[in-house]
Each structure stands twice: as structure tokens, then as C-alpha cells.
Amino acid sequence: LTGTSREQRAFQYVLAHAIPGDPHHILQTFDQWCYHCEHLSCVGPDKGRIVERVLLEQAPLRVLELGTYCGYGTVLLAQGLPPGARLYTIEGDPRHAAVAEKVIRLAGFSEQTVELIVGPSEEVIPRLREKHGLMNANLVFMDHWKRCYLRDLRLLESHQLLAEGATILADNVLFPGAPHFLQYAKTCGKYHCKVHRANLEY
């Protein structure tokens, strides 16, 4: 009825209620909107704690996020980066990317820290090294279309974009599910797998 998307309405709420430059408060404000107003498929606070724990344990210097959506996960990742680290985030939908760009900058992260790349992941991944300067990633956070998980993991492998000992953190592999990705990760012999049990978003 308003002519604006759910994502835009959520951003307007964040803009009105969140403290600019405070990533934690921006995430909390998003959570309030999602709990009480409209559902968004953001990472959410429950699974967010898993992401924060991985960031704390690994202190990755080069992080790649597949599926920026509204920028919630991006802000979550960016606030946990060690000094001098860089986050590359890929979003295929230009409308979502436009919202995410505002959210990321509102949280106080510059383009030097967070680079938002708009385009289909299968087209962007092969160009990450030469066009965006990502030699390889220490941590990859997958939160885009589940059917793309396996394809994009293989793309990262074939373009040698995974650093030695890299961590792949993939959301929603059980529900709605990414069975082919999960089977490959468990049986290909390249990865040690761990499933984190968590609630769905909100």
C-alpha cells in the first residue's frame, strides 16, 4: 500500500531509531523491527552469536559474504573484524543492495573496510581477484540462495579464492536446506564439518 518494500520500511525504522555509527545498536533496532513489525530473513541475534564467536576465534583479515540482503549480516561481520581487515559482500538484487549500502554506511563502515559488490555471485566471484583485489578469503559467509551454495563453493575453489585453513560458514543448510552443498562438504575430503544448531530468524 505504501509503495515501499519491506526492506525499505525496515531501513526507515532503523534510520529513525538507531544511533548512527553504533553497529550493535543498529542490529538491535533491526531485531526490534523484525520481532514486532515485519519479518525479514536476516541472520538475527541467535545465529548472530555463532558468527560473532567464529570471528573472535579466527580474527580473519579477508572476509567474503555472499548475500548482503539488507546489510544486517554485513554489519554483524564488520563489527567483529580485527584492525586492518576488509570485508567484501556480494548482493545480486540492486534494490536490496541500495538499502544495504545505506545501512552499512549508517553503521559507520567506510568503503575501505566494507566493499559492496552488486551482481550475480557466479559472475562476481571469478572477477574478485583482478577487479576487486581479493587474493583469497580467510572466512566466507554464505547467506544467499541455498541452491547456489555448492556452485559458488566450487567457483571459489576453482579460482583459488580460499586461503589455507579458510572457514566456510553457511546459513540455513538444514532448513530450507542445501543438501547437495552439505553432502559435498562432508564427503569431498577437503573440509572438517560442524553443524551448529540454532533457531530460525526471529
Side-chain angles (χ1 to χ4, degrees):
L1 292 174
T2 63
T4 60
S5 67
R6 276 189 305 173
E7 294 78 19
Q8 289 171 318
R9 290 194 291 274
F11 173 68
Q12 291 301 324
Y13 180 84
V14 170
L15 194 60
H17 296 90
I19 301 167
D22 185 336
H24 183 67
H25 195 258
I26 283 170
L27 295 177
Q28 280 187 323
T29 309
F30 256 117
D31 293 336
Q32 288 299 311
W33 172 266
C34 294
Y35 277 124
H36 303 295
C37 300
E38 291 179 282
H39 173 82
L40 294 175
S41 53
C42 303
V43 179
D46 183 42
K47 290 188 286 188
R49 282 187 282 275
I50 297 168
V51 176
E52 287 172 334
R53 189 168 71 245
V54 170
L55 284 165
L56 194 63
E57 290 170 357
Q58 313 240 339
L61 288 175
R62 295 172 305 278
V63 178
L64 174 63
E65 179 186 35
L66 303 178
T68 317
Y69 189 41
C70 290
Y72 183 106
T74 316
V75 171
L76 180 69
L77 289 164
Q79 74 170 354
L81 292 176
R86 188 162 169 76
L87 168 59
Y88 302 80
T89 181
I90 300 172
E91 174 53 50
D93 188 326
R95 295 164 301 175
H96 293 163
V99 173
E101 180 83 44
K102 295 172 189 170
V103 170
I104 294 161
R105 305 310 167 210
L106 183 69
F109 299 110
S110 70
E111 290 182 15
Q112 281 68 46
T113 303
V114 178
E115 181 178 350
L116 173 59
I117 306 164
V118 184
S121 55
E122 72 271 22
E123 294 177 14
V124 174
I125 289 171
R127 304 196 310 259
L128 279 172
R129 182 173 287 119
E130 60 181 49
K131 190 170 180 184
H132 301 281
L134 175 61
M135 300 310 291
N136 51 43
N138 309 110
L139 173 66
V140 178
F141 182 49
M142 292 186 167
D143 195 16
H144 56 328
W145 293 107
K146 313 313 159 204
R147 65 175 183 269
C148 300
Y149 279 17
L150 179 54
R151 180 202 67 196
D152 287 351
L153 178 59
R154 285 177 163 162
L155 271 177
L156 291 168
E157 290 174 349
S158 64
H159 287 86
Q160 299 179 322
L161 286 164
L162 297 175
E164 190 176 346
T167 296
I168 314 292
L169 195 57
D171 194 15
N172 299 119
V173 292
L174 298 180
F175 183 85
H180 299 300
F181 166 84
L182 212 51
Q183 183 183 22
Y184 176 77
K186 286 179 176 178
T187 61
C188 71
K190 300 175 187 176
Y191 304 101
H192 298 287
C193 292
K194 180 180 180 183
V195 175
H196 298 269
R197 300 284 173 176
N199 295 323
L200 288 174
E201 305 85 3
Y202 311 110

